[in-house]
Amino acid sequence: MAAHIGRRLRKGAATTAVAAAAVAALSASQAPGATVDDQGRQSTGDATSAPDTAADDSATGNSPYYTDLPPLNSPNPSPSAGSGDAGDQRAGEAGIPATVLDAYKQAEATLREKKPGCNLPWQLLAAIGKVESGQARGGRVTADGTTVTPILGPQLDGNGFALIRDTDNGAYDGNRMYDQAVGPMQFIPSTWDWAGRDGNGDGRKDPNNIYDAALAAGHYLCRFDWDLSQQGDLRKAILSYNNSTDYLNTVLSWLEFYRRGTHEIPDGTGALPVDRSDDTARPGVTPSAPGTTPPARPGKPSGSRPSPSPAAPGNGGSPSTPPVTPPPATPPTPTDTVHHLEDAGTGTLTAMAGHTFAERVSTRAETEAGKAVAKVRIRFTLVGDTDTTFTGGETVATVTTDASGVAVAPALQAGERTGAFAVQAAVVGRSVKGVPYKATVTARAADALALAGEKEPTCVAGGEFAQPVQVKATYRGEAAGKVAVTATLVTSADDPAENDKGPYFKDADGKAVRSLTGLRTDADGQLTLPKLYADDTAGTFLLRLTTAGGATLDVKLTVEPAAAPSPEPDPSTDPSETPAA
């Protein structure tokens, strides 16, 4: 025991130094003006404090994590290092199992395309994967990236951990009483339900698959349009994964370590972490590493132990055996007290395609008596045939109610698909009737059209217009991009019927047409019409342009008569044949 305590004390001193050194290095390389205190905690002048969130607002439900820290020196393998020396330790810790490493890099590549402004480094996923599961327990995964055995955190029963009652009926964690963090990136079921992704293309979103979990973690870290190349946003993203300053510093230490160099090792040969944030034993609870907590059987909490039997050895059936004291009843959580949801004054949800909705969905959680309930997680889900998303590109958002019991969803960003859809508000972890909100996306529109250039187009009869018709569409003074435009050569200002003479366009077969549909302005609201031609009719004609939203512009087209041909000379008046006087 003394040796064990001595080892832990020595390790604690070393790891504290590692944390301070690694975080200081990261501070110097990424955040000018950042400072590091004597415990290795970093602070900057902008938004570096831990967010005020409930435990189940984090990806992991603030579950326990591995606290092992990287070696102090560079992780690059030393070819001259002898067996068991510091070089071997550095090389071993820098090795990442092949399939796990590939999953991190694939996730980075996907996020680089989907959310380029996030600047997600794969080394951050590796740092979180190390802290959460020891890189999927040293890379014990199948060829498709699925863990050989499930990796489960302790049940979140409020006994030294957060209290998160079952939200998935045991579908992911096998526990029908409490939630447990699941898989190599340790998502709790309620978060995986909306954050899960299919990273290996097999049509499933499996938290036990490293490709799926790594991609989900990347999207989770990028969900608020954070730029992870900025130190403030990086800190906020990591804290949103697990709301702990110690967790933040541990992840930053591994991030800096992996940025200095890593290498691929065979699956199943990775170094396994030892120390965990829950190593201090709770009364009646034995700490367990992720993966050792068995799924709960229906009707029995995971991790519970049977009461001593009267006939068990050591008890001898003696009536004097002290009875087992049942645990105290768990007090109700705020979520338990919610009776219903109410609309909290949401206005009309309408936006033009490609625009942000001016109104945001607002929901109030109430008890049966109508009293507001704070600190309740409300899940907003987009339902229907729509490509509208919340800010950040997600179709599901979870928000915690404030002191007035109100949760306000992130802003809605309309896609290009028009029509009606719904936003469904529901209480996370409770079967309470939700509140549906109807929303509508209308077609892109313009309220004004203007001719580009000062001169109106002109042409000679039988020729073609050298000057193309160019217009710009605007909506409320701003450029109206991707707006549908119809162009028609009308009979007159008072007669919108299509003209049967005068200027015309040509179709794909070269035939004359005097009406065009399917035209669309570019991102800057500009539109250049196809070339116009003129028949042999001279005069003034009108080209009418109309858009969704009611914008109309009449462009005057002038066709001048063709020049009269020069007359043939009269031979009788040829001076060369005039007789001499």
Side-chain angles (χ1 to χ4, degrees):
M1 175 62 75
H4 173 72
I5 293 175
R7 182 185 69 83
R8 292 297 301 275
L9 289 174
R10 291 192 298 275
K11 181 179 180 62
T15 54
T16 298
V18 172
V23 175
L26 191 62
S27 172
S29 63
Q30 281 201 316
T35 60
V36 180
D37 67 16
D38 58 359
Q39 299 301 317
R41 292 187 294 265
Q42 185 180 29
S43 62
T44 64
D46 58 340
T48 56
S49 61
D52 182 14
T53 58
D56 50 346
D57 272 336
S58 67
T60 68
N62 297 338
S63 292
Y65 56 92
Y66 286 112
T67 59
D68 295 51
L69 291 171
L72 282 169
N73 297 318
S74 170
N76 293 316
S78 173
S80 62
S83 174
D85 64 10
D88 279 341
Q89 183 190 8
R90 293 192 298 272
E93 293 290 3
I96 299 179
T99 300
V100 178
L101 180 61
D102 183 57
Y104 296 149
K105 291 185 175 180
Q106 282 199 29
E108 179 197 55
T110 299
L111 268 298
R112 190 184 306 123
E113 176 185 352
K114 299 293 184 182
K115 297 182 178 180
C118 181
N119 294 307
L120 171 78
W122 67 260
Q123 291 92 341
L124 176 58
L125 297 176
I128 291 176
K130 178 70 173 182
V131 169
E132 294 294 348
S133 68
Q135 311 297 19
R137 288 207 217 97
R140 292 182 58 202
V141 295
T142 60
D144 70 348
T146 303
T147 57
V148 175
T149 56
I151 301 176
L152 296 172
Q155 65 179 14
L156 300 174
D157 56 7
N159 186 14
F161 304 126
L163 173 59
I164 305 179
R165 301 188 191 281
D166 176 56
T167 61
D168 65 333
N169 198 29
Y172 294 121
D173 55 14
N175 191 335
R176 296 185 181 180
M177 293 192 67
Y178 302 99
D179 273 353
Q180 295 174 245
V182 181
M185 302 303 277
Q186 289 288 278
F187 279 95
I188 54 174
S190 60
T191 302
W192 182 262
D193 189 52
W194 62 266
R197 293 292 191 280
D198 177 15
N200 63 350
D202 64 356
R204 299 175 60 237
K205 299 176 183 179
D206 182 3
N208 297 297
N209 183 279
I210 186 58
Y211 287 98
D212 295 0
L215 183 58
H219 275 280
Y220 185 91
L221 294 165
C222 293
R223 71 195 185 285
F224 288 135
D225 289 335
W226 283 326
D227 179 358
L228 302 187
S229 67
Q230 300 297 316
Q231 184 68 7
D233 283 357
L234 174 65
R235 290 173 61 87
K236 286 186 284 188
I238 296 171
L239 285 167
S240 79
Y241 210 89
N242 190 312
N243 189 14
S244 160
T245 303
D246 289 338
Y247 179 88
L248 168 69
N249 289 333
T250 304
V251 170
L252 289 176
S253 298
W254 284 105
L255 171 60
E256 176 64 16
F257 181 77
Y258 287 140
R259 275 178 166 163
R260 293 180 180 179
T262 61
H263 58 278
E264 178 184 300
I265 60 174
D267 289 345
T269 64
L272 296 176
V274 176
D275 297 323
R276 296 219 315 160
S277 59
D278 62 339
D279 272 353
T280 301
R282 300 175 290 148
V285 177
T286 302
S288 59
T292 61
T293 304
R297 294 188 296 276
K300 182 177 182 179
S302 172
S304 62
R305 292 178 292 179
S307 300
S309 166
N315 289 337
S318 170
S320 63
T321 301
V324 177
T325 303
T330 303
T333 66
T335 300
D336 296 329
T337 67
V338 177
H339 178 266
H340 60 272
L341 297 179
E342 293 284 350
D343 176 27
T346 305
T348 302
L349 296 171
T350 302
M352 188 187 302
H355 288 236
T356 301
F357 282 71
E359 285 286 330
R360 292 168 66 177
V361 178
S362 182
T363 300
R364 176 181 163 97
E366 298 182 353
T367 65
E368 187 172 7
K371 183 179 178 181
V373 185
K375 298 183 179 180
V376 173
R377 298 178 72 228
I378 306 297
R379 178 181 295 132
F380 299 95
T381 306
L382 303 187
V383 180
D385 185 16
T386 183
D387 57 355
T388 295
T389 64
F390 291 110
T391 301
E394 305 294 346
T395 58
V396 179
T398 303
V399 181
T400 302
T401 57
D402 60 17
S404 62
V406 174
V408 180
L412 287 167
Q413 178 66 41
E416 296 301 323
R417 195 170 301 161
T418 60
F421 64 98
V423 181
Q424 184 73 30
V427 178
V428 176
R430 284 290 306 280
S431 297
V432 174
K433 184 178 180 180
V435 179
Y437 297 83
K438 182 179 178 181
T440 305
V441 177
T442 60
R444 289 178 179 265
D447 55 16
L449 281 170
L451 183 68
E454 299 179 356
K455 295 183 179 180
E456 293 179 325
T458 61
C459 178
V460 176
E464 58 184 54
F465 288 80
Q467 178 184 350
V469 175
Q470 294 180 315
V471 297
K472 181 170 183 177
T474 56
Y475 182 78
R476 297 179 180 176
E478 300 292 334
K482 301 181 182 180
V483 174
V485 179
T486 298
T488 305
L489 290 148
V490 297
T491 302
S492 68
D494 299 325
D495 185 357
E498 183 179 303
N499 209 333
D500 59 358
K501 58 185 176 181
Y504 61 90
F505 300 104
K506 287 184 180 181
D507 64 13
D509 297 324
K511 297 180 180 179
V513 294
R514 291 186 169 87
S515 184
L516 294 178
T517 59
L519 303 173
R520 196 171 292 275
T521 61
D522 62 18
D524 297 322
Q526 304 277 357
L527 172 64
T528 300
L529 271 65
K531 183 182 288 292
L532 275 164
Y533 303 85
D535 61 14
D536 55 5
T537 307
T540 300
F541 303 88
L542 285 181
L543 171 63
R544 178 162 293 172
L545 304 172
T546 58
T547 73
T552 301
L553 175 67
D554 285 343
V555 180
K556 185 171 73 173
L557 305 176
T558 302
V559 179
E560 299 175 348
S566 301
E568 293 287 335
D570 187 350
S572 63
T573 62
D574 188 345
S576 63
E577 297 182 6
T578 301

